[in-house]
Amino acid sequence: MFSDDEKKAADDSRFGELSPGKLLVWARERAGLTQEQVAKELYMTLTKVRALEADDYRHMGSDTFTRGYLRSYANLVKLDVVQLLAAYDRHAQKHGLIEQVMPRKVESTSKPLWQFVVLIVIVLLVLWLISVWFFDNRKAPEYAMPAAIVTPIETFVSSSASGENSSATNSDVSNAINSINSVSAINNFPSNSSTGIASTSTPSVALNSSVASSLITNASASSFNAKQEVRNATLDQIVFIFSEECWLEVSDSRGDVLVADLQPAGGRITLQGKAPFDVTLGNSPAAQIELNSKKVTVVPALGTNVLRLKVGKSISD
Amino acid sequence: MMKLLRGAFSNDLSIDLGTANTLIYVRGRGIVLNEPSVVAIRHHNGTKIVEAVGVEAKRMLGRTPGNITAIRPLKDGVIADFQVTEKMLQHFIRKVHENSWFNPSPRVLISVPCLSTEVEKRAIRESALGAGAREVRLIEEPMAAAIGAGLKVAEASGSMVVDIGGGTTEIAVISLNGVVYSDSVRIGGDRFDEAIVNYVRRNYGSVIGDATAERIKQEIGCAFAGSEIREIDVRGRNLAEGVPRSFTLSSDEVLEALQDPLAGIVQAVKSALEQSPPELASDIAESGVVLTGGGALLRDIDRLLSNETGLPFIVAEDPLTCVARGGGMALEMSDKRNMDLLSS
């Protein structure tokens, strides 16, 4: 059946050059078995044994079964399973029999580049969103001075600088400084800026130094008072009088929380802010409210003593 | 939101959460993890700390000091210790994604025994979610094993698969992407080890550990009487003398030890063949039965089953990883072709 050369080739490393069917036939004959005996041992039909030996794998079902039959056959006839399956793989590739190759090997995990790129993009996006949010919410400080109010200062400084009225009286100077103070009070200018202006004007006016310093001191004091007056004049006043212990929380229209605390019985609290005020009042029947010295009448909702309301309209409106 | 983002940096996983081994298949990369399902826990001031997981923990089995316990959180194919299983899964999922930039949150497919109850399925699902999975799907083990073994499950012909795992043996007849008949018996590799331990105690008056029993099974274990005889030197503690003694075991003795669990598997296979519809039984008789799982590596188990049933039994290639690979392929098939291969 087989030539001596073929047998030698099978025994040597050239073993794999034969087709799997021929290898099986050779091994079966070496073992002294017939096809019928093989079929009986492997519980296979004779047709399948013949098909395996003829390299006809069309009726074997899936590749799994073909490989399984080849393994069982190889074990029975004491043939090297690995070499037989290698021969089958070559044959199957040559004839396009293998349908799919399943990944089996254990692979080392490598860091995918796309993950890094996506991460960088996400970080940049987040940074951009944060910067957009930050710059949108940032308000430029308003240091602009209204022209109508600036005029008196300029008038005062220019008249002083010209030296025309070098014998200016104390009352002139104080009037001028008062006007400066009123400007600084209105515009929230730092008090030393007004002082700076007064100092700048001093040498040109050529006043007595003691008079000048007293004027500046007076100017600082009156500056604070004027500031308070202006603020008080624009703020609303709300008064609460408590006959029993009450919880009180008040915030004004600017969102400033004026008070959030438990108030004692018999207490009275006066708050200043910009109306309308948001008031939350617990045990409301025990409290009286006055807005800008006018009594406010409130009726709590049925079934609760807690009152939440908006009080008043700003006097500046 | 964060889970979705993390999910974008995670791979889909198919996990064969077995009693003896846990295998993880990553889509597009193949099997990336194959470790024993063992966790070593250190007890420190009343708190439990995970000391080691997988191979490292298995080395500790039976060799731990008082404050460390090496345990197997799964028994008979189902979760016996929920929290430890969760920790183990968490460890394995992180290990698979150890080069990821984010904490992983993958989609996970886990295989479950075909006769597991709703409670057991829920325990598996929740432990995977607790371990960080974003979505958990379940598949019946024999279906995954059949797909992993390369059987044509979608065709209108019957295929029978016997998956011999560590805790259970799953038998199923599959046709048209569905399980026509399935059965599960609580006999597997663990029962083989137990039988060997009992045999040695009974016949040699010596005690051996589970790890030694497993080594005996892997090296000289066989299931068929006509197999080649092999021997192994074993050391165990003699019960009468109390000192370690050495003795030699042969494969015939191991075969004798394994008779009971093997008879259980044979009986279950015969029962499944009896229950199969005639058309499918005819297909099975024509093509044969595929063996998968670690138990299929027991020498000549295919010859035993062939001899008992008169049908050709073949061992799948790389039978240990069939379930994990099949799960991964089922995930891909259900995504690409919208096939419903998954269980509940």
Side-chain angles (χ1 to χ4, degrees), chain A residues 13 18-19 31 53 80 83 124 144 157 187 217 219 225 283 305:
Chain A
S13 58
L18 297 172
S19 75
E53 290 187 357
D80 186 356
Q83 280 177 321
L124 290 175
V157 173
N187 291 293
T217 314
N225 292 336
N283 193 15
N305 279 345

Side-chain angles (χ1 to χ4, degrees), chain A residues 40-294:
Chain A
K40 195 180 169 194
E41 283 288 324
L42 298 179
Y43 299 93
M44 286 163 65
T45 57
L46 190 58
T47 325
K48 276 195 174 163
V49 174
R50 283 180 182 151
L52 283 174
E53 290 187 357
D55 293 323
D56 178 10
Y57 305 109
R58 285 172 301 173
H59 306 294
M60 293 290 164
S62 69
D63 185 59
T64 309
F65 285 111
T66 311
R67 285 171 179 277
Y69 298 146
L70 288 173
R71 256 198 308 272
S72 304
Y73 201 154
N75 284 330
L76 181 72
V77 295
K78 307 277 187 278
L79 194 62
D80 186 356
V81 175
V82 177
Q83 280 177 321
L84 180 68
L85 289 178
Y88 169 71
D89 282 340
R90 276 195 302 277
H91 180 86
Q93 275 179 349
K94 198 173 167 185
H95 295 86
L97 296 174
I98 297 177
E99 293 161 6
Q100 55 180 354
V101 179
M102 287 175 287
R104 288 195 186 92
K105 63 177 186 282
V106 176
E107 288 186 2
S108 64
T109 51
S110 60
K111 210 176 284 183
L113 183 68
W114 71 268
Q115 283 194 6
F116 181 73
V117 172
V118 170
L119 190 74
I120 294 290
V121 168
I122 289 170
V123 168
L124 290 175
L125 195 70
V126 168
L127 285 175
W128 178 71
L129 284 172
I130 289 171
S131 63
V132 165
W133 173 81
F134 179 76
F135 287 111
D136 276 4
N137 285 299
R138 198 176 146 199
K139 284 180 183 169
E142 292 171 4
Y143 294 119
M145 203 176 279
I149 300 168
V150 171
T151 316
I153 309 171
E154 285 171 348
T155 313
F156 167 69
V157 173
S158 59
S159 62
S160 309
S162 64
E164 285 172 9
N165 196 6
S166 58
S167 59
T169 60
N170 280 354
S171 63
D172 290 335
V173 175
S174 68
N175 282 341
I177 289 172
N178 277 341
S179 69
I180 292 165
N181 287 336
S182 64
V183 168
S184 70
I186 291 164
N187 291 293
N188 276 337
F189 252 60
S191 58
N192 61 356
S193 67
S194 61
T195 313
I197 294 166
S199 312
T200 316
S201 63
T202 310
S204 56
V205 177
L207 286 173
N208 182 322
S209 64
S210 63
V211 173
S213 66
S214 70
L215 278 173
I216 289 161
T217 314
N218 289 339
S220 302
S222 59
S223 152
F224 179 75
N225 292 336
K227 213 186 282 180
Q228 286 297 323
E229 279 167 20
V230 169
R231 187 176 292 164
N232 291 344
T234 56
L235 293 180
D236 301 282
Q237 194 174 59
I238 187 163
V239 179
F240 295 88
I241 303 157
F242 306 102
S243 57
E244 289 174 28
E245 203 171 53
C246 297
W247 168 261
L248 177 67
E249 188 176 326
V250 181
S251 57
D252 70 358
S253 62
R254 294 173 299 191
D256 294 340
V257 178
L258 305 177
V259 66
D261 206 354
L262 193 65
Q263 304 298 325
R268 176 192 173 93
I269 185 165
T270 306
L271 303 168
Q272 285 188 331
K274 199 155 175 64
F277 297 94
D278 281 320
V279 178
T280 305
L281 190 59
N283 193 15
S284 58
Q288 272 185 23
I289 308 172
E290 287 178 10
L291 178 70
N292 297 327
S293 308
K294 286 178 190 166

Side-chain angles (χ1 to χ4, degrees), chain B residues 110-223:
Chain B
I110 301 181
S111 49
V112 290
C114 51
L115 293 187
S116 54
T117 62
E118 280 305 313
V119 175
E120 289 163 350
K121 284 180 186 174
R122 189 173 171 178
I124 288 175
R125 186 179 278 123
E126 289 193 356
S127 68
L129 287 171
R134 145 172 125 258
E135 186 187 328
V136 180
R137 290 176 172 190
L138 303 179
I139 185 169
E140 288 174 336
E141 263 174 29
M143 175 58 94
I147 297 168
L151 299 185
K152 292 175 178 172
V153 292
E155 287 186 359
S157 71
S159 309
M160 186 166 172
V161 64
V162 179
D163 179 48
I164 307 170
T168 58
T169 294
E170 313 276 328
I171 302 153
V173 178
I174 293 162
S175 175
L176 294 167
N177 286 329
V179 176
V180 179
Y181 171 83
S182 67
D183 195 11
S184 177
V185 285
R186 301 208 162 182
I187 301 169
D190 289 351
R191 284 287 296 278
F192 294 163
D193 297 346
E194 206 178 293
I196 293 170
V197 170
N198 290 338
Y199 179 87
V200 170
R201 186 192 288 129
R202 204 167 49 239
N203 292 279
Y204 288 87
S206 293
V207 181
I208 56 168
D210 287 343
T212 308
E214 192 180 0
R215 189 166 61 86
I216 294 167
K217 177 185 74 181
Q218 286 172 348
E219 290 188 15
I220 65 162
C222 73

